[in-house]
Structure formats: structure tokens, C-alpha cells
Amino acid sequence: MTHELHIVGGGMAGSEAAWQAANMGIQVVLHEMRPKVKTFAHRTGNLGEMVCSNSFRSDDDEQNAVGLLHWEMREAGGLIISTAHKHRLPAGGALAVDRDPFSESITDALTSHGNIRISHEEITELPTDGHWILATGPLTSETLGAAIQAETGADRLAFFDAIAPIVYAESINMDVAWLQSRYDKGETEEEQKAYINCPMTKDQYEAFIDALLAADKTEFHEGETAKYFDGCLPIEVMAERGRETLRHGPMKPVGLTNPHNPEQKAYAVVQLRRDNALGTLYNIVGFQTKMKYGAQASVFKMIPGLENASFARLGGIHRNTFINSPTLLDDQMRLKSRPNIRFAGQVTGVEGYVESASMGLVAGRLAAAEILGRDLPTVPQDTAHGALLHHISGGAEAKTFQPMNVNFGLFRPLDGLKGGRRGRKDRYKGYTDRAKACWQEWLASQA
Ligand SMILES: Cc1cc2nc3c(=O)[nH]c(=O)nc-3n(C[C@H](O)[C@H](O)[C@H](O)COP(=O)(O)OP(=O)(O)OC[C@H]3O[C@@H](n4cnc5c(N)ncnc54)[C@H](O)[C@@H]3O)c2cc1C
């Protein structure tokens, strides 16, 4: 039997899987199609490239499930998490990362590892023999996607996350707009003034809705269906559902008083929220969109206060390819119909950099153990890794399966600890304590 492991995709999951397996003595070939074949979101040919935000989210390993994943990955010698810490930027309790040095470090570590060979090529077929992990992410290349679809027989599910546009703060007209949080919520003045508000009269609102409905939209590719998270609908889709929908959604005018004109109640209000620590960028809240770029610029400039807006980023849509893991994968992350192939990362239906890397970590270890003929105990369900893995490989409702972030709702309840808000702190601490003990035990069993 060959001791070689092939991993397709050198993103968060594939990079971590390669690192884990190589450290267990396995010869790894990491197939990455970039830079030869590009995606619309990646900019470089680096391994472990962060495609959008530079945040690994909360680093709190006692009260937060993502922070717990960080902790578990650190304990397991994770490459992604240790490199993230090495290139950490100040961001309060979050783990924000200097993205280019981060992906350069990942690339260096994998390229210089004695057990890893990088092969820059697109894999277009499902391999028939050998040990493989497919970690091709939300932007799995089309040809490979079609091959997966042909094998699984299940429809490849595609939906679109819609990105809200970002405006340079200095280009917002503060003679029209004003700073205020709804109902002045917040302890500090900064919090009470966390949003920039742009007021609309009835005529302005009606004209805006007309423009929104008439604007050019991005067409969906043939065979794709627009499946949105209901909480994340593009604004033009909301407008299509009824002219008043936006006024009762992201543009509701309640809890706000315009200091430029306190007597006149706005008919609708567009809110912008700070997008960076410096306060130089603001995103338009709830304004995810699939309007074409040219249309966006003219439609958004109809918003009073944004007449001269400069956009740091316009809204967009992106594809997210993922398989129906609960029906297709076993608890070792193997494709039931072809057990020589494992899946890892976002393509399994987890969501986010951290979750994807963590599923790579587990897949790498599981594959390596199998190649070495070792019996690896099942990943304990009471760990953050185990809770996620359990969810995608059977815990989730297959019919309605959608990508999932790690959260304490995936954890089994703890005996003797109160539910509800009051008991939450103790409960979360209980989950994380239990998870840490189980994870250490699982790691020790492989030492
Ligand atoms: C536009 C966009 C914005 C996002 N923003 C965020 C965000 O802000 N925060 C967040 O946590 N998550 C975000 N995500 C999700 C994010 O992509 C994942 O969290 C994470 O990158 C997934 O890791 P992965 O390893 O599964 O996939 P990726 O990191 O995408 O890695 C997959 C790799 O596989 C390669 N590949 C694909 N097909 C083939 C093939 N056939 N042959 C060889 N190589 C192939 C790709 O080039 C890529 O390098 C975003 C996704 C998209 C598309």
C-alpha cells in the first residue's frame, strides 16, 4: 500500500491537512491550481490565502466556540493557527492577521517541509485509487465540481453570499447624514454614535426603489439557482418582494432623530456601520446586492448623504460549493461511495477560515492514521472539532443542510448546568473545560 497522500486545494483546509499528515511521516502531494488557474476571489498563488476578511474571529477559548477551536488547533500543533498568531494584528479579543505575511509563511512552511511536494495543477477528475483529500473550498473549479456531482448523484448545492458595499467615510456628506445608534443604544458615546444615518423622504424612497428594481443585475450561471440565507437577502430581492419591505427591514426609520432637521421624521433611513478600526471605511448595513457595479454606483449615490460617495468595495455575490455531507460522508470524512477519498474544509459544509482549517486538521490526521494502519479513535463529539464533524457527517438535517459555523448549539448538553441567559457563562465554561479534556485525551491517544 502506498504511503502517499494526495491533497487537492492548498487553502485553509488543504494546507492544514498537509501539515498534519506530513508531520505523521506521510509523503504528501499537495495539488493547488493557483496561480495557473485563478478564482475570482484569490489574488495570489500563495497557499493559505485569506480571500476576504483578515479575521479568525474570537480568540476566547473559555466563552467562545471559535476560540475553543483555536485552542484545540494550537494543542494539535496546527500550522494555520500558529502562523496566525505569529502575524497577529491588534484587534481586541479577535485574532486578526496580517494576510500577506501569513500566507507567505504558510507557503514557506509547506514548501520547505521534507515530506511535502507542491504540484501546481488543477485536478479535474475524481481519482480512482490512492489516498486523497479534496479540500477545494467554496470556489471548487467547475470541472472538478461537475465530477463530484456526477459521482455523488446529489445536486451540487450553490448559493450566494451577498457582499454589502463599503464607502470611504470622508466621502459621506455629514451635513445631511448624522451619527447615532438606534435608540442611542450603548454604554459609551462612541457606541451611541456607532452608525452613520442617511435620511430619505417618501419621494426619495420611491425613486430609490424604482431605481433598484430597474437596475442591471448579475445574471446567474446556467443551472445555478439563487439560494440565499433568508437573513442575508440582497436588497433588490427584498424590494422585489414588496415596495415597503426595505422600509420595514434595513431601512426602517425608527429610533433615530435627525439633528439637522429634528422636527421632520424621515420616511426611511439607510445606516452605515464602521468597517475598520481607523473609522475610515463604512459598510452600508444590510445592503448585500447582486446589482452590476455600474448600476450600484449610480443607485447608491441616490441616497442622501452619499451623493459623492467613493466606494472602497462595491457589493457582490460569490459562489459557495458544498456537498451534502450528512448523506455522503462517514464519520471519518470519507466519501461513502469511494472511501479512498476524503473531503475537508468549506466544501464539506462548514463555514469560515477557522472551521475549514479545523476540518483539514482532522482529515489530515485521519487519512495519515489510515495509511499507517493505525487505529485512530473517533474524534470526541464533545470537542469543538468533534461537534462540527458530528454535525456535518450525520448530526445535521440532510434535507435542509446548509453551511455551519462552530457554535455551542452543536455541543451536547452538560448535566447540572442551568440553561438560559443567566447560566450561560457557567455553561460555556463547562463546554470548553469538557472539550479541552477530551481533546487532550484524543491527542494523547495518538502520541
Ligand atoms: C468571496 C469569498 C469571501 C469569503 N470571505 C470570508 C471571510 O471573510 N471570512 C471567512 O472566515 N470566510 C470567508 N469565506 C469563506 C472562505 O473561503 C473559507 O472560510 C475558507 O477559505 C475555506 O477554506 P478551504 O480550504 O475550504 O477553501 P479555500 O481556502 O478556498 O481553498 C481551496 C483551494 O482549492 C483550490 N482549488 C479549487 N479547485 C481546485 C482543483 N480542481 N484543483 C486544484 N486546486 C483547486 C483553490 O485555488 C484554493 O486555493 C469567503 C469565501 C468567498 C468565496
Side-chain angles (χ1 to χ4, degrees):
M1 186 192 268
T2 171
H3 273 215
E4 205 169 60
L5 172 64
H6 294 266
I7 298 174
V8 189
M12 296 296 153
S15 297
E16 188 63 53
W19 180 253
Q20 295 290 330
N23 286 344
M24 288 170 72
I26 301 296
Q27 296 297 314
V28 174
V29 184
L30 182 54
H31 307 263
E32 169 52 59
M33 67 180 186
R34 291 179 293 112
K36 286 184 188 159
V37 181
K38 298 183 180 359
T39 79
F40 74 83
H42 293 87
R43 290 181 302 112
T44 72
N46 289 344
L47 304 171
E49 179 178 333
M50 305 174 89
V51 283
C52 186
S53 127
N54 67 336
S55 174
F56 277 79
R57 299 161 28 227
S58 172
D59 202 29
D60 178 351
D61 61 56
E62 295 196 339
Q63 291 292 313
N64 189 290
V66 180
L68 177 61
L69 263 187
H70 291 182
W71 185 93
E72 292 180 3
M73 286 160 71
R74 273 199 300 275
E75 288 291 298
L79 174 67
I80 295 288
I81 197 71
S82 61
T83 311
H85 274 275
K86 199 162 117 196
H87 296 290
R88 183 173 195 154
L89 292 172
L95 177 53
V97 168
D98 199 353
R99 68 176 75 232
D100 287 336
F102 168 80
S103 62
E104 283 156 15
S105 284
I106 299 287
T107 308
D108 286 348
L110 295 173
T111 310
S112 60
H113 197 297
N115 290 348
I116 300 176
R117 180 164 66 82
I118 317 286
S119 170
H120 286 285
E121 60 178 331
E122 178 189 2
I123 299 296
T124 55
E125 299 285 339
L126 283 192
T128 47
D129 54 17
H131 299 276
W132 290 76
I133 296 175
L134 300 192
T136 45
L139 306 178
T140 295
S141 72
E142 222 165 287
T143 336
L144 184 62
I148 295 169
Q149 196 176 30
E151 168 64 23
T152 59
D155 284 349
R156 182 184 68 170
L157 299 178
F159 66 88
F160 302 87
D161 293 330
I163 300 168
I166 294 182
V167 179
Y168 289 104
E170 61 189 10
S171 70
I172 301 171
N173 181 359
M174 296 306 288
D175 291 336
V176 173
W178 75 97
L179 286 164
Q180 186 187 7
S181 298
R182 258 185 234 289
Y183 302 108
D184 300 309
K185 270 193 189 149
E187 300 287 303
T188 61
E189 195 186 343
E190 200 185 8
E191 284 171 355
Q192 288 159 3
K193 295 189 168 174
Y195 291 81
I196 291 179
N197 302 282
C198 300
M200 276 189 187
T201 62
K202 185 170 192 311
D203 287 349
Q204 287 166 333
Y205 178 79
E206 296 297 346
F208 180 74
I209 298 294
D210 287 340
L212 212 50
L213 293 173
D216 273 353
K217 321 283 182 336
T218 307
E219 295 297 327
F220 293 110
H221 295 294
E222 207 182 321
E224 285 179 329
T225 50
K227 283 194 171 187
Y228 306 110
F229 280 125
D230 236 24
C232 193
L233 285 177
I235 42 166
E236 60 275 8
V237 175
M238 285 191 252
E240 280 161 15
R241 291 185 172 184
R243 295 186 69 89
E244 290 290 291
T245 308
L246 281 168
R247 229 168 65 77
H248 296 287
M251 294 174 72
K252 61 177 176 280
V254 301
L256 298 164
T257 305
N258 180 354
H260 306 299
N261 195 354
E263 302 308 321
Q264 197 190 336
K265 187 95 187 113
Y267 189 72
V269 174
V270 174
Q271 288 202 303
L272 295 96
R273 184 171 45 217
R274 209 150 107 165
D275 204 71
N276 63 346
L278 287 173
T280 51
L281 299 174
Y282 276 74
N283 66 64
I284 313 185
V285 180
F287 268 40
Q288 310 87 347
T289 180
K290 61 185 176 68
M291 278 188 287
K292 287 193 171 159
Y293 281 178
Q296 285 188 42
S298 51
V299 171
F300 294 141
K301 284 182 179 189
M302 292 173 74
I303 298 168
L306 301 188
E307 313 80 24
N308 297 314
S310 302
F311 295 90
R313 190 184 72 187
L314 285 163
I317 55 166
H318 56 75
R319 204 182 76 200
N320 192 346
T321 309
F322 64 101
I323 59 169
N324 192 273
S325 292
T327 53
L328 298 173
L329 300 187
D330 67 13
D331 66 358
Q332 295 269 312
M333 307 176 82
R334 288 176 298 219
L335 192 59
K336 288 176 191 164
S337 63
R338 288 211 203 184
N340 68 314
I341 301 174
R342 282 183 164 79
F343 279 81
Q346 187 138 330
V347 73
T348 64
V350 297
E351 172 83 31
Y353 301 138
V354 184
E355 287 85 343
S356 298
S358 74
M359 290 301 97
L361 186 152
V362 171
R365 283 186 173 236
L366 291 171
E370 186 177 301
I371 293 169
L372 294 169
R374 288 188 200 155
D375 225 3
L376 193 64
T378 317
V379 186
Q381 198 185 329
D382 293 330
T383 63
H385 282 78
L388 256 186
L389 178 56
H390 176 77
H391 178 77
I392 60 167
S393 64
E397 181 60 61
K399 273 193 198 145
T400 53
F401 184 60
Q402 288 290 315
M404 182 54 94
N405 283 127
V406 71
N407 63 79
F408 287 126
L410 303 179
F411 286 58
R412 290 194 288 201
L414 277 154
D415 290 338
L417 284 173
K418 263 195 294 185
R421 272 183 85 79
R422 290 189 60 201
R424 192 156 63 189
K425 216 170 167 201
D426 289 344
R427 205 155 28 98
Y428 289 178
K429 180 74 166 57
Y431 285 140
T432 53
D433 285 348
R434 179 179 66 178
K436 288 173 183 175
C438 294
W439 186 248
Q440 271 165 335
E441 208 177 299
W442 186 69
L443 292 177
S445 73
Q446 300 160 53

